[in-house]
Amino acid sequence: LGSWALRTACADAAGWPKPLQVSVNVSAIQFAMEGFPTLVANVLASTQIDPRRLVLEITESVFLGDSEANDKIFRALLDLGVRLSLDDFGTGYSSLSYLSTSPFEKLKIDRSFVERCTERGNKNKAIISATIGLANALKMEVIVEGVEAFDQLDLIRSKGGKLVQGWIYSPALPNGEILNRLAQGDFRIAPDGPRRHRPARR
């Protein structure tokens, strides 16, 4: 399934304008599988997309494995020219030590920190602010996930966040619709959502 997702995403991205990147989630199990860098190399060769357009999103759980083996895989992927993003930051291993040596260019703040960040007394806004500051200091691009309402978007902007991912801009779209809108020459999405986030009742 992971191989299919990688091949399909890269094949779709081959039809997009060249500056656009495609991000693909990679599970810790798939990352550690023998021959994963070879799989990535084969996908790049068969789809003919520029390696710098492919971003592999990897969770912190990979650091629970063999560090020497991980370093070897990271080096092989970087030699291919792909980019690496640390996904769901703050929910897994969460050790800051690996950030000093890891090859990630991007860091994604998990949606669990965003959901209730605008509630009175919630400490997640401080965590978001600190993580954005940390990523900026490390010269890493930071993306905040799970933004659904304008109060969340306003808070993230006030903390220095510049890139967000979430339904306030769009749910997932089929590739056919993306191609049609790109063909129109001006693919812009204005934010649209509730003024304030209201957590689901439990």
Side-chain angles (χ1 to χ4, degrees), residues 129-184:
S129 178
T131 305
I132 290 173
L134 174 64
N136 289 338
L138 294 173
K139 295 180 170 51
M140 297 172 68
E141 192 174 77
V142 61
I143 303 165
V144 184
E145 299 178 304
V147 181
E148 298 181 356
F150 277 95
D151 59 341
Q152 295 171 329
L153 182 62
D154 292 342
L155 184 142
I156 290 160
R157 284 173 169 166
S158 73
K159 302 300 182 184
K162 297 179 181 178
L163 298 173
V164 302
Q165 173 183 321
W167 281 28
I168 194 167
Y169 281 101
S170 176
L173 300 174
N175 190 51
E177 182 174 345
I178 292 173
L179 291 174
N180 288 337
R181 296 179 70 170
L182 287 170
Q184 297 172 11

Side-chain angles (χ1 to χ4, degrees), residues 53-119:
R53 294 180 59 204
L54 174 60
V55 182
L56 299 178
E57 297 191 1
I58 302 166
T59 63
E60 296 171 317
S61 55
V62 301
F63 295 102
L64 296 175
D66 185 333
S67 60
E68 188 173 332
N70 285 345
D71 290 342
K72 184 177 180 180
I73 296 170
F74 281 134
R75 284 195 299 271
L77 293 173
L78 292 175
D79 287 343
L80 293 175
V82 301
R83 298 180 175 187
L84 301 176
S85 174
L86 181 58
D87 196 19
D88 299 339
F89 179 76
T91 62
Y93 185 60
S94 296
S95 170
L96 298 180
S97 61
Y98 61 75
L99 289 179
S100 63
T101 57
S102 66
F104 296 104
E105 294 183 22
K106 303 172 184 279
L107 183 154
K108 300 186 76 174
I109 298 176
D110 187 69
R111 62 178 299 118
S112 62
F113 294 106
V114 176
E115 184 179 8
R116 297 176 178 271
C117 67
T118 57
E119 294 180 7

